Amino acid sequence: MIEDPFEQVAFLGFDVFGTVVDWRSSVTRLAEPFLRRHGVHVDPYRFADEWRALYQPAMERVRSGERPWVKLDVLNRENLETVLSRHGVDVGQIPETELIDLNLAWERLDPWPDSVEGLTRLKRRFAIGPISNGHMAGMMKLARFGGLPWDIIVGAEVAKSYKPQPETYLKSAAAVGLPPERIAMVAAHNEDLAAARALGFRTVFVRRPREHGPAQTSDLEPRSNWDVIAGSLLEVAEVLGCG
């Protein structure tokens, strides 16, 4: 009889941006009226991509110790002002309420079509929650917006570190009261899964080939023999016996 590698797993931790929600289309949709209103002549998809492109470099400054820990909404706001300035916008002339509202786009991201049903089915067997770089309030508001049925929110703010630093995974595991071998990381990003596996987590790779749009080149395929490889969260639920 083949042993079920998930028999002892009690918690599924999810990457959120890209794996559970479609950040690119959502940010584009929410940024377009702002850009039009202020005469910013840039394609909204390009704007979303440029904003997102600053995500990892901003976190790396925290990971490297170059700057103290700050929550992701702070980094997103700084990055927003950087992108606007690149396109000739005098950020000081934009009403603060509008900048705040646009930065909240990251809390109003649409789930992928399979996400809510897939999570609901997985929740029948496992406790579920994000192990995300997002801050806790943002994750809560995103869950309320998209109907994401989390049991708990852990991740970067709990650990005061950003993935793929080991502390983000290990302190999240401690927060849910489980050793790493009883947790599986679910992500559309090979780097995330590699970091989790190195600490003893089980791994689930979900293909999201349009996270970065039709010309995406990254994470199109698994780069290792992850425990589960699937094309959607519904398929993950099927593989893990969550009918």
Side-chain angles (χ1 to χ4, degrees), residues 52-239:
R52 174 71 175 191
L54 296 176
Y55 173 77
Q56 287 293 343
M59 288 189 296
E60 183 57 31
R61 291 183 61 209
V62 177
R63 287 189 290 245
S64 69
E66 182 181 338
R67 68 178 295 180
W69 162 261
V70 291
K71 295 184 290 186
L72 188 61
D73 61 335
V74 174
L75 300 180
N76 282 339
R77 172 59 186 270
E78 293 172 356
N79 294 341
L80 171 61
E81 294 189 14
T82 297
V83 174
L84 288 171
S85 296
R86 282 181 185 170
H87 290 283
V89 177
D90 182 350
V91 176
Q93 298 301 309
I94 303 292
E96 176 66 12
T97 53
E98 291 196 43
L99 294 172
I100 291 171
D101 185 66
L102 183 53
N103 200 44
L104 292 177
W106 297 96
E107 299 175 5
R108 302 194 293 266
L109 306 176
D110 298 321
W112 294 108
D114 58 275
S115 289
V116 174
E117 183 180 351
L119 292 174
T120 301
R121 287 173 56 180
L122 288 164
K123 189 179 166 105
R124 295 171 187 168
R125 178 177 175 186
F126 307 96
I128 63 172
I131 299 180
S132 169
N133 285 326
H135 60 297
M136 294 175 72
M139 287 290 102
M140 177 187 71
K141 292 170 186 174
L142 185 56
R144 295 284 294 172
F145 175 82
L148 307 176
W150 304 130
D151 290 301
I152 191 171
I153 294 169
V154 289
E157 189 174 359
V158 169
K160 298 295 188 291
S161 67
Y162 285 115
K163 296 186 297 180
Q165 288 185 308
E167 293 89 342
T168 316
Y169 306 93
L170 294 175
K171 290 183 180 180
S172 294
V176 300
L178 293 167
E181 61 268 22
R182 299 200 64 201
I183 298 174
M185 187 72 206
V186 184
H189 310 120
N190 285 281
E191 181 185 62
D192 202 350
L193 296 180
R197 173 181 274 180
L199 299 169
F201 285 54
R202 292 294 184 177
T203 52
V204 178
F205 179 80
V206 184
R207 289 184 180 87
R208 296 299 190 197
R210 295 183 68 86
E211 176 190 353
H212 296 279
Q216 178 168 324
T217 58
S218 61
D219 293 309
L220 295 175
E221 294 295 337
R223 294 206 306 265
S224 189
N225 60 333
W226 310 122
D227 295 302
V228 174
I229 296 169
S232 70
L233 291 180
L234 289 172
E235 188 177 336
V236 174
E238 191 71 26
V239 171

Side-chain angles (χ1 to χ4, degrees), residues 21-31 105 108-111:
V21 298
D22 177 6
W23 62 264
R24 186 174 188 262
S25 296
S26 303
V27 170
T28 297
R29 169 176 53 80
L30 294 164
R108 302 194 293 266
L109 306 176
D110 298 321

